[in-house]
Amino acid sequence: MNFRISLAQRIYAIVGLSFCGLTGLAAIQASNLANALRGQRQSELRRLTQLAFGIAQEEHDAAVGRGADGDAARRNAAARIGALRFGNGDYYWINDLGPTMIKHPIKPELDGKDLRDIRDPTGKQLFVAFAEIVKRKGEGVVERLCCRSGL
């Protein structure tokens, strides 16, 4: 058997392999960019969360300094945090580890409601996942399908 590859076939093979290599490189770069953007977003959200914690701490310290009860401090902190906005219409809400909604600035009818049955479009129990990661690690990120349902 004598395999002879013509010059044209060699050129096509080189072009084809180069195209495959460039396509693979582009896919790897796109994945790296997506990971970098996700990390940047998580870092920014962590910084913004520290802002909300600072407000809660400030209200707590002020209540302790005045000898006031903790309920007033919690209400003041919830009102201030609920008024915060960031990004493109994004907002803070407060839920406990129950999970029960403490303060929702967009849907106040959720305040005081059990959140266990609220799911994202994929069926994930978001607030249960939020509470579980905090119970387990003290903080964390829950990946979810993006939606604008007001939750």
Side-chain angles (χ1 to χ4, degrees):
M1 284 199 173
N2 189 0
F3 282 113
R4 290 190 130 270
I5 299 175
S6 71
L7 181 60
Q9 289 173 326
R10 289 179 191 169
I11 291 173
Y12 286 135
I14 290 170
V15 169
L17 288 173
S18 297
F19 180 75
C20 289
L22 288 174
T23 301
L25 183 62
I28 290 169
Q29 290 299 332
S31 175
N32 289 343
L33 178 60
N35 288 337
L37 289 173
R38 185 177 301 111
Q40 181 180 6
R41 173 85 171 152
Q42 288 175 2
S43 176
E44 179 68 12
L45 288 173
R46 191 171 288 112
R47 188 186 66 75
L48 290 167
T49 301
Q50 291 302 319
L51 170 70
F53 278 130
I55 289 171
Q57 187 66 52
E58 183 180 295
E59 288 294 336
H60 170 76
D61 293 347
V64 168
R66 292 187 311 261
D69 69 350
D71 289 339
R74 283 188 284 280
R75 281 192 305 275
N76 290 342
R80 287 178 60 194
I81 292 168
L84 295 174
R85 298 294 182 272
F86 62 96
N88 187 19
D90 295 324
Y91 55 88
Y92 294 87
W93 75 86
I94 302 168
N95 62 271
D96 66 12
L97 298 177
T100 301
M101 183 63 70
I102 303 300
K103 175 72 174 172
H104 196 292
I106 306 299
K107 290 190 172 184
E109 65 272 13
L110 289 175
D111 293 354
K113 301 284 184 200
D114 186 316
L115 304 170
R116 280 174 250 206
D117 293 329
I118 295 179
R119 299 173 187 269
D120 74 1
T122 66
K124 180 186 274 187
Q125 292 175 290
L126 286 175
F127 293 95
V128 170
F130 296 151
E132 285 177 356
I133 199 164
V134 171
K135 287 176 189 175
R136 212 172 46 249
K137 296 181 178 180
E139 66 176 31
V141 175
V142 174
E143 297 291 331
R144 69 184 192 116
L145 183 63
C146 185
C147 60
R148 288 287 174 192
S149 64
L151 291 179

